[in-house]
Every structure is written in structure tokens, then in C-alpha cells.
Amino acid sequence: MNLFQNVKYGMNCRETAERYGVFVNRQGKALCPFHNDRHPSLLVADDHYYCFACGAHGDVIDFAANFFALPLYEAAQRLAADFGIDTDRPPTKEILEKRRQQTEAQQLMENERLCFSVLSDYAHLQREHRMSFVEAYHKLDETEYYLDILCAGDSHERAEVVSYLLADGRLDKLKEKINGRDAA
């Protein structure tokens, strides 16, 4: 592996941005350091970043290159030095396994956010009685129960709710109900 691959496997954009003083909120948004930003417009994920205002985007090496105004090779060298990455050896099995586990955890978090968003919209419709009263009455308790678990449940409970909602297209059916009501 070369310097670029070792750096990309050894770190991620979010950790890098935070280490260099960019505050990233829970949704992965931050004030963009590449332009005069007053409202968070920079999305910082683990494997990339993208600014919706100025269009800056790329991977961890691009971030460092733009942040420090360095060529890509020098940015990769700086990252390796700052984060203690050995550029002569490929990443170990432990690092690769940790990266795989992070990816699975990130997917679960993304699914949790999606489920929470859809359930919140659905509960709003139920509370506003924009659907039949009988359906709203019977389903609101169940919807709020799932929302409570997604907000305060442990990781196992949240994973079960996400799995249940994604199975058999349940979440898609809720989305259709929400979109059908919004169009009416």
C-alpha cells in the first residue's frame, strides 16, 4: 500500500476535522472552515466531507490539503505524522476490523435516524388528526412507543425496532402514508 491508502485506512474525516478544531455536531454538520460560514453547511462523514454552500468536498486527505493549503502529498504526510500512522506498513487486521465495525455501526445509526424521522412525521400526522380518527387513535400509542425506544432504549432495543420497521417494508408504508397525506 502507498502513503495515501495507509492514511485513508488509518483515519476518517470526522476524527480529523475534530482533531483540527472543527466542531462537528451529532448530525455530522459543522461550520465550513473553507468559507465564511455562519450556519453549519459542512457535512462531515467518516469517509468524506461536503459543503452545501461552497461545494468543497473530498476525503480525509483532501480535507487536510484544503485546511492547511497543502498539496495532497504533503497533506497525507502531515496526517500520517499528526496521527502516528506508519506509512511503511499496510494497516493491521485489527485496524481493518475496527473500520468494518465502525461502518456497521454507522449504518445502524443511519437506519435509526431514518426510522426516527419517519416515525416522528407519522406521529405528527396522527396528533394533528390528518388521518382517520380510528387509525390515529389505535396507532399513536404504538408509534410513540417506538419513538421512545429510539430515543432512550439501549442499543439492542433500538436495533430490534429498526429491524422490525425495515422488515416487510413497514417503514416504506409509513412513508407512503405521510407523502399521501402531504399531497392531499
Side-chain angles (χ1 to χ4, degrees):
M1 289 192 154
N2 64 29
L3 170 67
F4 291 100
Q5 290 171 326
N6 283 348
V7 169
K8 286 180 188 181
Y9 277 109
M11 57 199 332
N12 67 49
C13 271
R14 185 176 182 127
E15 289 174 356
T16 302
E18 289 174 340
R19 178 118 178 235
Y20 290 138
V22 176
F23 173 75
V24 181
N25 68 20
R26 292 167 64 178
Q27 291 80 30
K29 299 282 243 137
L31 293 174
C32 182
F34 309 121
H35 74 277
N36 187 14
D37 202 2
R38 287 189 251 151
H39 302 286
S41 61
L42 183 70
L43 174 67
V44 184
D46 284 343
D47 62 341
H48 70 281
Y49 70 96
Y50 180 80
C51 180
F52 293 97
C54 72
H57 67 282
D59 60 21
V60 67
I61 297 172
D62 295 317
F63 182 87
N66 287 334
F67 193 78
F68 294 110
L70 296 171
L72 290 175
Y73 188 76
E74 289 178 27
Q77 287 178 318
R78 174 155 186 176
L79 287 168
D82 288 351
F83 288 85
I85 295 172
D86 186 355
T87 59
D88 295 328
R89 290 186 297 164
T92 64
K93 287 182 183 180
E94 292 83 22
I95 291 173
L96 294 174
E97 178 63 22
K98 179 182 173 190
R99 191 154 181 97
R100 186 189 64 74
Q101 288 174 349
Q102 285 177 337
T103 303
E104 289 173 2
Q106 292 162 356
Q107 185 62 48
L108 179 60
M109 285 180 60
E110 207 171 290
N111 287 341
E112 284 179 18
R113 286 186 195 124
L114 174 66
C115 289
F116 185 83
S117 174
V118 171
L119 285 173
S120 294
D121 291 347
Y122 188 61
H124 178 72
L125 285 177
Q126 291 169 317
R127 287 185 200 110
E128 296 295 318
H129 304 293
R130 287 193 243 162
M131 53 183 26
S132 77
F133 180 75
V134 174
E135 181 180 8
Y137 180 77
H138 290 294
K139 296 285 186 175
L140 183 59
D141 286 341
E142 179 184 3
T143 303
E144 289 179 340
Y145 172 73
Y146 292 137
L147 283 169
D148 287 344
I149 291 174
L150 290 174
C151 285
D154 64 32
S155 61
H156 179 70
E157 292 170 329
R158 292 191 318 266
E160 285 182 358
V161 168
V162 168
S163 177
Y164 171 77
L165 291 171
L166 294 178
D168 300 328
R170 288 182 181 98
L171 197 66
D172 292 330
K173 290 174 187 170
L174 292 179
K175 285 183 192 176
E176 289 173 11
K177 286 184 180 187
I178 293 165
N179 292 335
R181 298 291 181 200
D182 288 343

